[in-house]
Amino acid sequence: MPKYIALLAGINLGKRRIKMDALKKHFESMVFQEVETVLATGNVIFVSKLRSAAKVESLVESGLHTRLGYEVATYVRTPDELACVVSNSPFGLADDKSDGFSVQVQFFKEPLLKKLAAPVSKIETATDRFAVVGRELYWRVTGRLSDSLVWSSAEMKAVSLPRGTTRNMNTVIKLTDSLHTR
C-alpha cells in the first residue's frame, strides 16, 4: 500500500489546537494505517489503500472537517515527491547559521501557473529570494521570518498566490529522514 505525507495548514495555530494523539486517531478513523505524526506541526505520515494522492488529500480534508468542525487545508505528497522537494532546493538544504538565512518551502495543490511563477521568482529584496519548482515555492530569507517585509510588498500582493502551507526546510528534511527510518 502507498505511503503518504499530509501537510496540514494552520494546525496548532490560534484556536485550532489539537493534540497529536487525537490527530492520529482521526486519521485512523478515516481507515488510514501506520499513522504517525511528526513534529507536532500538522505533519502526518500514513499508509492508504488509495492509489491517488489527490483522492487522499480530498478524503483527509473532508474527514478532518467532519471531525474537527473546521476546514483544514491539506497538501499530500508521496515519499518520492517529498524527497524531490529536498533534492530540488535551489537555495541549499538547511539553515545556514553563519550567513543567517533559512529556506522555507510553501506547498501548493497544483503547480503554479507561469503567470504566477515567473513574477514571484523575480521578486528579490536585500533579505528575500524566491524560486518555484513544480508545486513548491522556495523562499530564502536572511534574518528572522517576522522581520521580512516582502509579503506585504506591492510586488508580492500583485502575484496573488493560491492557498498553501509552509514548512522550514529542516522540517522537510526531518520528514524525509523519518520516512526512511520507518
Side-chain angles (χ1 to χ4, degrees), residues 90-137:
F91 302 125
L93 296 182
D95 295 351
D96 183 336
K97 303 296 185 213
S98 63
D99 286 343
F101 77 86
S102 66
V103 177
Q104 309 296 313
V105 182
Q106 189 165 9
F107 295 85
F108 299 107
K109 291 189 183 287
E110 301 291 331
L112 288 180
L113 300 173
K114 279 190 177 183
K115 68 179 184 177
L116 297 176
V120 79
S121 294
K122 292 178 184 171
I123 296 172
E124 190 170 323
T125 72
T127 59
D128 308 280
R129 291 184 11 210
F130 295 91
V132 175
V133 179
R135 295 187 291 168
E136 286 76 39
L137 170 65

mmCIF file of all heavy atoms in Angstrom, residues 90-137:
data_model
loop_
_atom_site.group_PDB
_atom_site.id
_atom_site.type_symbol
_atom_site.label_atom_id
_atom_site.label_comp_id
_atom_site.label_asym_id
_atom_site.label_seq_id
_atom_site.Cartn_x
_atom_site.Cartn_y
_atom_site.Cartn_z
ATOM 1 N N PRO A 90 16.678 25.044 -4.676
ATOM 2 C CA PRO A 90 17.636 25.923 -5.344
ATOM 3 C C PRO A 90 18.501 26.737 -4.381
ATOM 4 O O PRO A 90 19.468 27.362 -4.807
ATOM 5 C CB PRO A 90 16.746 26.846 -6.177
ATOM 6 C CG PRO A 90 15.437 26.846 -5.476
ATOM 7 C CD PRO A 90 15.303 25.510 -4.805
ATOM 8 N N PHE A 91 18.171 26.722 -3.094
ATOM 9 C CA PHE A 91 18.881 27.553 -2.117
ATOM 10 C C PHE A 91 19.616 26.744 -1.056
ATOM 11 O O PHE A 91 19.955 27.259 0.004
ATOM 12 C CB PHE A 91 17.913 28.506 -1.426
ATOM 13 C CG PHE A 91 17.173 29.407 -2.365
ATOM 14 C CD1 PHE A 91 15.795 29.450 -2.360
ATOM 15 C CD2 PHE A 91 17.860 30.207 -3.262
ATOM 16 C CE1 PHE A 91 15.105 30.284 -3.228
ATOM 17 C CE2 PHE A 91 17.182 31.050 -4.141
ATOM 18 C CZ PHE A 91 15.795 31.085 -4.116
ATOM 19 N N GLY A 92 19.849 25.494 -1.289
ATOM 20 C CA GLY A 92 20.506 24.662 -0.290
ATOM 21 C C GLY A 92 19.483 23.928 0.548
ATOM 22 O O GLY A 92 18.279 24.046 0.348
ATOM 23 N N LEU A 93 19.988 23.191 1.516
ATOM 24 C CA LEU A 93 19.113 22.279 2.233
ATOM 25 C C LEU A 93 18.659 22.742 3.608
ATOM 26 O O LEU A 93 17.640 22.305 4.088
ATOM 27 C CB LEU A 93 19.794 20.920 2.367
ATOM 28 C CG LEU A 93 20.047 20.212 1.047
ATOM 29 C CD1 LEU A 93 20.667 18.857 1.302
ATOM 30 C CD2 LEU A 93 18.774 20.087 0.251
ATOM 31 N N ALA A 94 19.420 23.550 4.262
ATOM 32 C CA ALA A 94 19.044 23.859 5.638
ATOM 33 C C ALA A 94 19.479 25.262 5.999
ATOM 34 O O ALA A 94 20.104 25.960 5.211
ATOM 35 C CB ALA A 94 19.677 22.840 6.590
ATOM 36 N N ASP A 95 19.145 25.632 7.200
ATOM 37 C CA ASP A 95 19.561 26.938 7.697
ATOM 38 C C ASP A 95 21.078 27.022 7.701
ATOM 39 O O ASP A 95 21.761 26.073 8.025
ATOM 40 C CB ASP A 95 19.065 27.147 9.130
ATOM 41 C CG ASP A 95 17.544 27.211 9.198
ATOM 42 O OD1 ASP A 95 16.904 27.267 8.146
ATOM 43 O OD2 ASP A 95 17.025 27.205 10.319
ATOM 44 N N ASP A 96 21.568 28.159 7.327
ATOM 45 C CA ASP A 96 23.000 28.419 7.393
ATOM 46 C C ASP A 96 23.205 29.491 8.450
ATOM 47 O O ASP A 96 22.977 30.672 8.214
ATOM 48 C CB ASP A 96 23.516 28.890 6.034
ATOM 49 C CG ASP A 96 25.016 29.112 6.030
ATOM 50 O OD1 ASP A 96 25.600 29.352 7.107
ATOM 51 O OD2 ASP A 96 25.599 29.054 4.944
ATOM 52 N N LYS A 97 23.575 29.059 9.629
ATOM 53 C CA LYS A 97 23.709 29.983 10.760
ATOM 54 C C LYS A 97 24.781 31.041 10.507
ATOM 55 O O LYS A 97 24.659 32.169 10.944
ATOM 56 C CB LYS A 97 24.014 29.226 12.056
ATOM 57 C CG LYS A 97 22.974 28.174 12.408
ATOM 58 C CD LYS A 97 21.625 28.776 12.697
ATOM 59 C CE LYS A 97 20.671 27.696 13.161
ATOM 60 N NZ LYS A 97 19.314 27.892 12.773
ATOM 61 N N SER A 98 25.832 30.674 9.767
ATOM 62 C CA SER A 98 26.905 31.641 9.539
ATOM 63 C C SER A 98 26.440 32.791 8.651
ATOM 64 O O SER A 98 26.834 33.927 8.848
ATOM 65 C CB SER A 98 28.128 30.952 8.923
ATOM 66 O OG SER A 98 27.803 30.422 7.651
ATOM 67 N N ASP A 99 25.604 32.498 7.677
ATOM 68 C CA ASP A 99 25.074 33.547 6.808
ATOM 69 C C ASP A 99 23.737 34.083 7.318
ATOM 70 O O ASP A 99 23.209 35.041 6.770
ATOM 71 C CB ASP A 99 24.894 33.030 5.378
ATOM 72 C CG ASP A 99 26.224 32.869 4.652
ATOM 73 O OD1 ASP A 99 27.223 33.447 5.115
ATOM 74 O OD2 ASP A 99 26.251 32.175 3.627
ATOM 75 N N GLY A 100 23.167 33.436 8.311
ATOM 76 C CA GLY A 100 21.928 33.902 8.914
ATOM 77 C C GLY A 100 20.700 33.769 8.040
ATOM 78 O O GLY A 100 19.782 34.564 8.129
ATOM 79 N N PHE A 101 20.657 32.760 7.182
ATOM 80 C CA PHE A 101 19.460 32.586 6.355
ATOM 81 C C PHE A 101 18.797 31.245 6.624
ATOM 82 O O PHE A 101 19.392 30.335 7.189
ATOM 83 C CB PHE A 101 19.784 32.737 4.864
ATOM 84 C CG PHE A 101 20.459 31.539 4.235
ATOM 85 C CD1 PHE A 101 19.707 30.486 3.732
ATOM 86 C CD2 PHE A 101 21.835 31.484 4.122
ATOM 87 C CE1 PHE A 101 20.322 29.391 3.142
ATOM 88 C CE2 PHE A 101 22.463 30.393 3.536
ATOM 89 C CZ PHE A 101 21.708 29.346 3.048
ATOM 90 N N SER A 102 17.544 31.166 6.230
ATOM 91 C CA SER A 102 16.823 29.896 6.283
ATOM 92 C C SER A 102 16.086 29.708 4.961
ATOM 93 O O SER A 102 15.877 30.662 4.206
ATOM 94 C CB SER A 102 15.844 29.853 7.456
ATOM 95 O OG SER A 102 14.809 30.787 7.275
ATOM 96 N N VAL A 103 15.712 28.475 4.695
ATOM 97 C CA VAL A 103 14.947 28.146 3.495
ATOM 98 C C VAL A 103 13.586 27.636 3.951
ATOM 99 O O VAL A 103 13.495 26.716 4.761
ATOM 100 C CB VAL A 103 15.666 27.074 2.639
ATOM 101 C CG1 VAL A 103 14.818 26.696 1.430
ATOM 102 C CG2 VAL A 103 17.043 27.566 2.214
ATOM 103 N N GLN A 104 12.555 28.262 3.431
ATOM 104 C CA GLN A 104 11.179 27.870 3.699
ATOM 105 C C GLN A 104 10.602 27.299 2.406
ATOM 106 O O GLN A 104 10.971 27.747 1.310
ATOM 107 C CB GLN A 104 10.343 29.079 4.132
ATOM 108 C CG GLN A 104 10.946 29.898 5.259
ATOM 109 C CD GLN A 104 11.055 29.113 6.538
ATOM 110 O OE1 GLN A 104 10.119 28.446 6.954
ATOM 111 N NE2 GLN A 104 12.222 29.190 7.178
ATOM 112 N N VAL A 105 9.686 26.352 2.536
ATOM 113 C CA VAL A 105 9.047 25.771 1.352
ATOM 114 C C VAL A 105 7.543 25.906 1.519
ATOM 115 O O VAL A 105 6.977 25.470 2.528
ATOM 116 C CB VAL A 105 9.408 24.277 1.180
ATOM 117 C CG1 VAL A 105 8.770 23.725 -0.093
ATOM 118 C CG2 VAL A 105 10.905 24.070 1.177
ATOM 119 N N GLN A 106 6.915 26.528 0.535
ATOM 120 C CA GLN A 106 5.456 26.622 0.541
ATOM 121 C C GLN A 106 4.919 25.583 -0.435
ATOM 122 O O GLN A 106 5.330 25.523 -1.595
ATOM 123 C CB GLN A 106 4.975 28.021 0.157
ATOM 124 C CG GLN A 106 3.487 28.185 0.360
ATOM 125 C CD GLN A 106 3.049 29.646 0.331
ATOM 126 O OE1 GLN A 106 3.820 30.532 -0.007
ATOM 127 N NE2 GLN A 106 1.813 29.882 0.684
ATOM 128 N N PHE A 107 4.015 24.747 0.070
ATOM 129 C CA PHE A 107 3.421 23.662 -0.710
ATOM 130 C C PHE A 107 2.057 24.087 -1.240
ATOM 131 O O PHE A 107 1.255 24.660 -0.502
ATOM 132 C CB PHE A 107 3.248 22.416 0.173
ATOM 133 C CG PHE A 107 4.556 21.825 0.635
ATOM 134 C CD1 PHE A 107 5.196 22.301 1.772
ATOM 135 C CD2 PHE A 107 5.138 20.785 -0.069
ATOM 136 C CE1 PHE A 107 6.398 21.765 2.195
ATOM 137 C CE2 PHE A 107 6.348 20.239 0.351
ATOM 138 C CZ PHE A 107 6.975 20.728 1.478
ATOM 139 N N PHE A 108 1.803 23.776 -2.505
ATOM 140 C CA PHE A 108 0.518 24.072 -3.145
ATOM 141 C C PHE A 108 -0.092 22.778 -3.668
ATOM 142 O O PHE A 108 0.598 21.778 -3.842
ATOM 143 C CB PHE A 108 0.704 25.046 -4.310
ATOM 144 C CG PHE A 108 1.279 26.371 -3.915
ATOM 145 C CD1 PHE A 108 2.598 26.689 -4.228
ATOM 146 C CD2 PHE A 108 0.531 27.302 -3.220
ATOM 147 C CE1 PHE A 108 3.148 27.906 -3.863
ATOM 148 C CE2 PHE A 108 1.069 28.527 -2.848
ATOM 149 C CZ PHE A 108 2.378 28.827 -3.171
ATOM 150 N N LYS A 109 -1.377 22.820 -3.976
ATOM 151 C CA LYS A 109 -2.056 21.638 -4.523
ATOM 152 C C LYS A 109 -1.653 21.390 -5.974
ATOM 153 O O LYS A 109 -1.528 20.251 -6.400
ATOM 154 C CB LYS A 109 -3.570 21.800 -4.405
ATOM 155 C CG LYS A 109 -4.038 21.735 -2.966
ATOM 156 C CD LYS A 109 -5.549 21.686 -2.901
ATOM 157 C CE LYS A 109 -6.017 21.687 -1.469
ATOM 158 N NZ LYS A 109 -5.791 20.427 -0.788
ATOM 159 N N GLU A 110 -1.492 22.455 -6.731
ATOM 160 C CA GLU A 110 -1.170 22.354 -8.158
ATOM 161 C C GLU A 110 0.109 23.146 -8.435
ATOM 162 O O GLU A 110 0.434 24.077 -7.707
ATOM 163 C CB GLU A 110 -2.313 22.954 -8.990
ATOM 164 C CG GLU A 110 -3.665 22.293 -8.781
ATOM 165 C CD GLU A 110 -3.740 20.886 -9.317
ATOM 166 O OE1 GLU A 110 -3.016 20.593 -10.306
ATOM 167 O OE2 GLU A 110 -4.486 20.071 -8.755
ATOM 168 N N PRO A 111 0.801 22.822 -9.527
ATOM 169 C CA PRO A 111 1.944 23.661 -9.907
ATOM 170 C C PRO A 111 1.472 25.090 -10.163
ATOM 171 O O PRO A 111 0.359 25.306 -10.662
ATOM 172 C CB PRO A 111 2.442 23.020 -11.208
ATOM 173 C CG PRO A 111 1.917 21.629 -11.191
ATOM 174 C CD PRO A 111 0.614 21.693 -10.446
ATOM 175 N N LEU A 112 2.298 26.043 -9.802
ATOM 176 C CA LEU A 112 1.944 27.436 -10.059
ATOM 177 C C LEU A 112 1.930 27.696 -11.555
ATOM 178 O O LEU A 112 2.834 27.262 -12.276
ATOM 179 C CB LEU A 112 2.927 28.376 -9.388
ATOM 180 C CG LEU A 112 2.852 28.482 -7.871
ATOM 181 C CD1 LEU A 112 3.891 29.470 -7.363
ATOM 182 C CD2 LEU A 112 1.470 28.901 -7.412
ATOM 183 N N LEU A 113 0.917 28.404 -12.013
ATOM 184 C CA LEU A 113 0.852 28.791 -13.413
ATOM 185 C C LEU A 113 2.018 29.722 -13.725
ATOM 186 O O LEU A 113 2.489 30.459 -12.853
ATOM 187 C CB LEU A 113 -0.468 29.500 -13.700
ATOM 188 C CG LEU A 113 -1.736 28.690 -13.434
ATOM 189 C CD1 LEU A 113 -2.965 29.578 -13.602
ATOM 190 C CD2 LEU A 113 -1.808 27.498 -14.369
ATOM 191 N N LYS A 114 2.472 29.706 -14.973
ATOM 192 C CA LYS A 114 3.607 30.546 -15.361
ATOM 193 C C LYS A 114 3.347 32.015 -15.050
ATOM 194 O O LYS A 114 4.257 32.742 -14.687
ATOM 195 C CB LYS A 114 3.917 30.378 -16.845
ATOM 196 C CG LYS A 114 4.721 29.148 -17.156
ATOM 197 C CD LYS A 114 5.204 29.158 -18.580
ATOM 198 C CE LYS A 114 6.075 27.929 -18.796
ATOM 199 N NZ LYS A 114 6.639 27.899 -20.130
ATOM 200 N N LYS A 115 2.087 32.443 -15.175
ATOM 201 C CA LYS A 115 1.780 33.854 -14.928
ATOM 202 C C LYS A 115 1.971 34.223 -13.451
ATOM 203 O O LYS A 115 2.090 35.392 -13.120
ATOM 204 C CB LYS A 115 0.362 34.204 -15.391
ATOM 205 C CG LYS A 115 -0.740 33.575 -14.580
ATOM 206 C CD LYS A 115 -2.102 33.995 -15.104
ATOM 207 C CE LYS A 115 -3.194 33.445 -14.219
ATOM 208 N NZ LYS A 115 -4.515 33.862 -14.634
ATOM 209 N N LEU A 116 2.027 33.228 -12.563
ATOM 210 C CA LEU A 116 2.333 33.461 -11.149
ATOM 211 C C LEU A 116 3.786 33.120 -10.839
ATOM 212 O O LEU A 116 4.454 33.831 -10.096
ATOM 213 C CB LEU A 116 1.426 32.623 -10.248
ATOM 214 C CG LEU A 116 -0.071 32.891 -10.299
ATOM 215 C CD1 LEU A 116 -0.810 31.906 -9.418
ATOM 216 C CD2 LEU A 116 -0.376 34.312 -9.873
ATOM 217 N N ALA A 117 4.258 32.006 -11.388
ATOM 218 C CA ALA A 117 5.612 31.529 -11.080
ATOM 219 C C ALA A 117 6.685 32.501 -11.557
ATOM 220 O O ALA A 117 7.645 32.782 -10.834
ATOM 221 C CB ALA A 117 5.840 30.146 -11.699
ATOM 222 N N ALA A 118 6.537 33.036 -12.748
ATOM 223 C CA ALA A 118 7.558 33.939 -13.290
ATOM 224 C C ALA A 118 7.707 35.209 -12.446
ATOM 225 O O ALA A 118 8.818 35.554 -12.044
ATOM 226 C CB ALA A 118 7.257 34.271 -14.749
ATOM 227 N N PRO A 119 6.607 35.920 -12.140
ATOM 228 C CA PRO A 119 6.794 37.152 -11.353
ATOM 229 C C PRO A 119 7.279 36.906 -9.930
ATOM 230 O O PRO A 119 8.107 37.669 -9.421
ATOM 231 C CB PRO A 119 5.427 37.816 -11.342
ATOM 232 C CG PRO A 119 4.484 36.946 -12.063
ATOM 233 C CD PRO A 119 5.239 35.779 -12.606
ATOM 234 N N VAL A 120 6.802 35.850 -9.262
ATOM 235 C CA VAL A 120 7.239 35.625 -7.882
ATOM 236 C C VAL A 120 8.710 35.223 -7.850
ATOM 237 O O VAL A 120 9.430 35.583 -6.923
ATOM 238 C CB VAL A 120 6.335 34.614 -7.142
ATOM 239 C CG1 VAL A 120 6.652 33.180 -7.519
ATOM 240 C CG2 VAL A 120 6.455 34.780 -5.643
ATOM 241 N N SER A 121 9.166 34.520 -8.857
ATOM 242 C CA SER A 121 10.578 34.119 -8.914
ATOM 243 C C SER A 121 11.497 35.327 -9.097
ATOM 244 O O SER A 121 12.675 35.271 -8.752
ATOM 245 C CB SER A 121 10.810 33.130 -10.050
ATOM 246 O OG SER A 121 10.129 31.916 -9.784
ATOM 247 N N LYS A 122 10.967 36.405 -9.649
ATOM 248 C CA LYS A 122 11.763 37.613 -9.880
ATOM 249 C C LYS A 122 11.779 38.552 -8.678
ATOM 250 O O LYS A 122 12.572 39.491 -8.643
ATOM 251 C CB LYS A 122 11.230 38.353 -11.102
ATOM 252 C CG LYS A 122 11.469 37.595 -12.392
ATOM 253 C CD LYS A 122 10.883 38.320 -13.570
ATOM 254 C CE LYS A 122 11.046 37.476 -14.829
ATOM 255 N NZ LYS A 122 10.310 38.033 -15.955
ATOM 256 N N ILE A 123 10.914 38.322 -7.712
ATOM 257 C CA ILE A 123 10.887 39.181 -6.529
ATOM 258 C C ILE A 123 12.138 38.915 -5.711
ATOM 259 O O ILE A 123 12.431 37.780 -5.351
ATOM 260 C CB ILE A 123 9.622 38.935 -5.686
ATOM 261 C CG1 ILE A 123 8.375 39.328 -6.472
ATOM 262 C CG2 ILE A 123 9.700 39.697 -4.358
ATOM 263 C CD1 ILE A 123 7.068 38.948 -5.798
ATOM 264 N N GLU A 124 12.858 39.987 -5.460
ATOM 265 C CA GLU A 124 14.081 39.861 -4.673
ATOM 266 C C GLU A 124 14.270 41.126 -3.862
ATOM 267 O O GLU A 124 14.098 42.228 -4.371
ATOM 268 C CB GLU A 124 15.278 39.622 -5.603
ATOM 269 C CG GLU A 124 16.529 39.250 -4.876
ATOM 270 C CD GLU A 124 17.637 38.790 -5.817
ATOM 271 O OE1 GLU A 124 17.343 38.127 -6.821
ATOM 272 O OE2 GLU A 124 18.794 39.102 -5.518
ATOM 273 N N THR A 125 14.577 40.940 -2.594
ATOM 274 C CA THR A 125 14.901 42.072 -1.730
ATOM 275 C C THR A 125 16.290 41.819 -1.152
ATOM 276 O O THR A 125 16.910 40.796 -1.452
ATOM 277 C CB THR A 125 13.884 42.207 -0.577
ATOM 278 O OG1 THR A 125 14.092 41.144 0.362
ATOM 279 C CG2 THR A 125 12.438 42.188 -1.078
ATOM 280 N N ALA A 126 16.712 42.704 -0.289
ATOM 281 C CA ALA A 126 18.013 42.513 0.362
ATOM 282 C C ALA A 126 18.024 41.252 1.219
ATOM 283 O O ALA A 126 19.076 40.664 1.458
ATOM 284 C CB ALA A 126 18.350 43.728 1.212
ATOM 285 N N THR A 127 16.841 40.805 1.656
ATOM 286 C CA THR A 127 16.776 39.641 2.555
ATOM 287 C C THR A 127 16.017 38.451 1.980
ATOM 288 O O THR A 127 16.020 37.387 2.581
ATOM 289 C CB THR A 127 16.101 40.033 3.886
ATOM 290 O OG1 THR A 127 14.781 40.519 3.615
ATOM 291 C CG2 THR A 127 16.902 41.082 4.623
ATOM 292 N N ASP A 128 15.358 38.604 0.841
ATOM 293 C CA ASP A 128 14.462 37.569 0.339
ATOM 294 C C ASP A 128 14.734 37.222 -1.120
ATOM 295 O O ASP A 128 14.941 38.108 -1.948
ATOM 296 C CB ASP A 128 13.005 38.049 0.433
ATOM 297 C CG ASP A 128 12.636 38.545 1.803
ATOM 298 O OD1 ASP A 128 12.355 37.709 2.664
ATOM 299 O OD2 ASP A 128 12.636 39.776 2.007
ATOM 300 N N ARG A 129 14.701 35.913 -1.413
ATOM 301 C CA ARG A 129 14.756 35.423 -2.788
ATOM 302 C C ARG A 129 13.782 34.273 -2.915
ATOM 303 O O ARG A 129 13.544 33.535 -1.952
ATOM 304 C CB ARG A 129 16.170 34.950 -3.136
ATOM 305 C CG ARG A 129 17.145 36.102 -3.218
ATOM 306 C CD ARG A 129 18.541 35.752 -3.645
ATOM 307 N NE ARG A 129 18.743 34.406 -4.167
ATOM 308 C CZ ARG A 129 19.887 33.753 -4.053
ATOM 309 N NH1 ARG A 129 20.908 34.294 -3.452
ATOM 310 N NH2 ARG A 129 20.005 32.541 -4.549
ATOM 311 N N PHE A 130 13.235 34.074 -4.098
ATOM 312 C CA PHE A 130 12.230 33.043 -4.331
ATOM 313 C C PHE A 130 12.557 32.236 -5.569
ATOM 314 O O PHE A 130 13.174 32.735 -6.508
ATOM 315 C CB PHE A 130 10.844 33.674 -4.523
ATOM 316 C CG PHE A 130 10.333 34.379 -3.309
ATOM 317 C CD1 PHE A 130 10.582 35.728 -3.118
ATOM 318 C CD2 PHE A 130 9.617 33.691 -2.346
ATOM 319 C CE1 PHE A 130 10.117 36.389 -1.987
ATOM 320 C CE2 PHE A 130 9.149 34.338 -1.212
ATOM 321 C CZ PHE A 130 9.399 35.688 -1.037
ATOM 322 N N ALA A 131 12.094 30.994 -5.572
ATOM 323 C CA ALA A 131 12.182 30.131 -6.748
ATOM 324 C C ALA A 131 10.987 29.181 -6.710
ATOM 325 O O ALA A 131 10.562 28.745 -5.636
ATOM 326 C CB ALA A 131 13.480 29.340 -6.750
ATOM 327 N N VAL A 132 10.460 28.889 -7.873
ATOM 328 C CA VAL A 132 9.331 27.965 -7.982
ATOM 329 C C VAL A 132 9.809 26.711 -8.698
ATOM 330 O O VAL A 132 10.438 26.785 -9.757
ATOM 331 C CB VAL A 132 8.162 28.607 -8.769
ATOM 332 C CG1 VAL A 132 7.043 27.603 -8.975
ATOM 333 C CG2 VAL A 132 7.659 29.854 -8.057
ATOM 334 N N VAL A 133 9.508 25.563 -8.087
ATOM 335 C CA VAL A 133 9.803 24.274 -8.707
ATOM 336 C C VAL A 133 8.549 23.424 -8.544
ATOM 337 O O VAL A 133 8.215 23.004 -7.434
ATOM 338 C CB VAL A 133 11.021 23.579 -8.054
ATOM 339 C CG1 VAL A 133 11.287 22.229 -8.716
ATOM 340 C CG2 VAL A 133 12.256 24.466 -8.107
ATOM 341 N N GLY A 134 7.826 23.201 -9.629
ATOM 342 C CA GLY A 134 6.616 22.380 -9.580
ATOM 343 C C GLY A 134 5.546 22.964 -8.674
ATOM 344 O O GLY A 134 5.117 24.100 -8.855
ATOM 345 N N ARG A 135 5.149 22.191 -7.653
ATOM 346 C CA ARG A 135 4.099 22.611 -6.722
ATOM 347 C C ARG A 135 4.659 23.286 -5.476
ATOM 348 O O ARG A 135 3.937 23.472 -4.494
ATOM 349 C CB ARG A 135 3.252 21.403 -6.283
ATOM 350 C CG ARG A 135 2.475 20.772 -7.431
ATOM 351 C CD ARG A 135 1.527 19.708 -6.939
ATOM 352 N NE ARG A 135 2.252 18.539 -6.446
ATOM 353 C CZ ARG A 135 1.687 17.570 -5.748
ATOM 354 N NH1 ARG A 135 0.413 17.616 -5.443
ATOM 355 N NH2 ARG A 135 2.409 16.530 -5.355
ATOM 356 N N GLU A 136 5.930 23.663 -5.518
ATOM 357 C CA GLU A 136 6.554 24.267 -4.343
ATOM 358 C C GLU A 136 7.173 25.623 -4.666
ATOM 359 O O GLU A 136 7.731 25.816 -5.748
ATOM 360 C CB GLU A 136 7.629 23.347 -3.756
ATOM 361 C CG GLU A 136 7.086 22.152 -3.016
ATOM 362 C CD GLU A 136 6.557 21.051 -3.900
ATOM 363 O OE1 GLU A 136 7.164 20.767 -4.955
ATOM 364 O OE2 GLU A 136 5.519 20.463 -3.557
ATOM 365 N N LEU A 137 7.055 26.513 -3.689
ATOM 366 C CA LEU A 137 7.706 27.820 -3.742
ATOM 367 C C LEU A 137 8.781 27.818 -2.664
ATOM 368 O O LEU A 137 8.486 27.584 -1.489
ATOM 369 C CB LEU A 137 6.698 28.942 -3.466
ATOM 370 C CG LEU A 137 7.269 30.344 -3.267
ATOM 371 C CD1 LEU A 137 7.916 30.848 -4.550
ATOM 372 C CD2 LEU A 137 6.170 31.301 -2.811
#
